[in-house]
């Protein structure tokens, strides 16, 4: 009986040790749907170079990623917005730190309209009026006589929060907005609806539906020189408890290799 107990104890500790080692070779990332595409591509390339490491990617929106980070469910939160004061406060209370922020890419928040729409440039002021339903018909902007269909993202989206703050100046969106879960689905909605307008990360659209804002296209040049008015950084957030492989992965993402992958997938590198 004593021998059996000793064997059981040894097996238990060996199992725990193996489990711990496995956990050390896993990176979990959750958050921004805007960043989902580049997170997947980055993870794929990194795992090819490091076959002993597994990276699990999940979307759901920046707010969900931040919540998972606060609950210690992930190693990295991917976010297309900065943390709000309440999130910083909760980080400080739980981890005695305000967290660690890493810039990984630049993004232009593109404005999409159907390719049959004659409107190819729009002002920030008119964008605000459209998304708050002060302007409801394209003819008010010199377009066809049709009611505008406004496509927006869920409140959990960091892109939603950025648009509300920087375009609507914290006003509420139209009550009749079409709430669409992801940027990819917004692009599909725009392409299938002649009267629609929406917004999303530059990596998801194309020139057939992207229009200029304040006479500037969402190009890399206009983002870098500051001419495009809806440019932002994409970020990773972590607590101060970063494991070796998590830090190695973030370092790789901001390296020349990682930045090249970001550019190849429609977003803009940091340098």
């Amino acid at each position: 009986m004593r021998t059996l107990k000793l064997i059981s104890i040894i097996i238990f500790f060996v199992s725990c040790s193996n489990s711990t080692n496995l956990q050390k070779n896993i990176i979990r990332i959750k958050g921004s749907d805007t960043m989902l595409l580049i997170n997947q591509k980055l993870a794929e390339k990194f795992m090819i170079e490091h076959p002993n490491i597994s990276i699990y990617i999940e979307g759901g929106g920046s707010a969900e990623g931040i919540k998972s980070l606060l609950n210690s469910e992930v190693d990295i939160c991917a976010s297309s917005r900065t943390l709000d004061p309440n999130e910083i406060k909760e980080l400080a209370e739980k981890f005695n730190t305000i967290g660690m922020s890493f810039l990984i890419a630049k993004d232009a928040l593109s404005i999409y309209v159907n390719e049959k729409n004659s409107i190819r440039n729009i002002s920030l002021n008119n964008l605000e009026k459209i998304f708050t339903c002060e302007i409801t018909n394209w003819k008010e902007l010199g377009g066809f006589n049709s009611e505008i269909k406004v496509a927006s993202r869920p409140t959990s989206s960091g892109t939603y929060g950025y648009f509300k703050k920087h375009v609507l100046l914290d006003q509420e969106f139209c009550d009749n907005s079409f709430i669409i879960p992801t940027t990819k689905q917004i692009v599909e909605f725009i392409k299938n609806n002649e009267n629609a307008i929406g917004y999303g990360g530059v990596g998801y659209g194309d020139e057939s539906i992207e229009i200029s804002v304040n006479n500037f296209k969402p190009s890399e040049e206009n983002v870098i020189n500051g001419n495009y008015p809806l440019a932002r950084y994409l970020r990773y957030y972590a607590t101060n408890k970063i494991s070796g492989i998590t830090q190695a992965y973030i370092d790789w993402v901001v390296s020349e290799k990682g930045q090249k992958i970001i550019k190849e997938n429609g977003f803009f590198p940091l340098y």
Side-chain angles (χ1 to χ4, degrees):
M1 283 295 293
R2 287 180 180 175
T3 303
L4 284 173
K5 284 182 180 178
L6 181 59
I7 291 171
S8 298
I9 292 168
I10 291 171
I11 291 173
F12 172 77
F13 279 110
V14 169
S15 298
C16 287
S17 176
N18 288 340
S19 174
T20 302
N21 289 334
L22 284 173
Q23 291 300 316
K24 286 182 179 179
N25 290 333
I26 292 174
I27 302 171
R28 299 185 186 278
I29 303 173
K30 182 176 180 179
S32 169
D33 282 311
T34 296
M35 298 171 67
L36 187 59
L37 173 66
I38 53 171
N39 281 335
Q40 290 170 339
K41 296 296 182 181
L42 288 165
E44 287 170 11
K45 294 291 185 180
F46 188 81
M47 287 189 290
I48 289 172
E49 292 186 17
H50 304 83
N52 62 318
I53 296 174
S54 297
I55 304 176
Y56 294 91
I57 306 293
E58 191 176 350
S62 298
E64 289 300 311
I66 294 166
K67 188 187 297 181
S68 294
L69 183 67
L70 289 168
N71 292 332
S72 300
E73 297 167 349
V74 296
D75 303 291
I76 296 171
C77 159
S79 181
S80 59
R81 65 167 173 83
T82 55
L83 300 182
D84 67 35
N86 289 331
E87 291 162 344
I88 294 172
K89 181 174 181 287
E90 192 170 350
L91 264 173
E93 289 172 349
K94 286 191 173 183
F95 301 102
N96 295 317
T97 174
I98 58 171
M100 302 179 71
S101 174
F102 304 89
L103 304 179
I104 71 154
K106 293 177 181 177
D107 179 31
L109 193 66
S110 298
I111 304 302
Y112 309 128
V113 301
N114 187 274
E115 60 183 345
K116 294 181 180 178
N117 194 324
S118 62
I119 304 297
R120 306 317 298 172
N121 177 65
I122 196 163
S123 68
L124 276 177
N125 185 47
N126 283 336
L127 265 182
E128 176 193 339
K129 291 178 178 179
I130 287 173
F131 281 86
T132 57
C133 278
E134 188 176 339
I135 293 176
T136 59
N137 194 300
W138 285 113
K139 71 178 180 180
E140 298 177 63
L141 299 174
F144 38 66
N145 183 13
S146 296
E147 184 181 354
I148 300 173
K149 292 183 178 180
V150 173
S152 185
R153 296 289 307 283
T155 56
S156 61
S157 163
T159 302
Y160 164 94
Y162 178 92
F163 194 90
K164 183 177 181 182
K165 180 178 180 180
H166 293 275
V167 179
L168 303 192
L169 306 178
D170 284 326
Q171 298 175 83
E172 295 302 321
F173 283 80
C174 294
D175 290 337
N176 62 349
S177 299
F178 292 84
I179 307 303
I180 299 176
T182 68
T183 304
K184 183 178 179 180
Q185 289 172 304
I186 279 190
V187 168
E188 292 171 0
F189 180 81
I190 299 298
K191 289 186 174 183
N192 292 323
N193 290 273
E194 291 185 19
N195 303 327
I197 185 170
Y199 57 88
V202 71
Y204 289 85
D206 56 60
E207 290 186 357
S208 69
I209 62 171
E210 287 176 344
I211 64 173
S212 299
V213 179
N214 288 356
N215 296 309
F216 290 102
K217 293 183 178 294
S219 66
E220 182 174 5
E221 180 183 359
N222 286 333
V223 167
I224 289 172
N225 62 27
N227 286 330
Y228 189 72
L230 297 176
R232 59 181 178 170
Y233 283 103
L234 302 178
R235 294 171 165 83
Y236 282 160
Y237 284 107
T239 66
N240 61 342
K241 300 176 181 178
I242 301 180
S243 68
I245 61 165
T246 302
Q247 185 65 63
Y249 174 71
I250 293 172
D251 291 343
W252 180 87
V253 167
V254 298
S255 74
E256 186 176 347
K257 284 185 178 180
Q259 294 296 297
K260 182 181 177 182
I261 293 165
I262 284 167
K263 186 169 184 174
E264 287 171 351
N265 286 280
F267 292 87
F268 305 134
L270 294 172
Y271 49 85

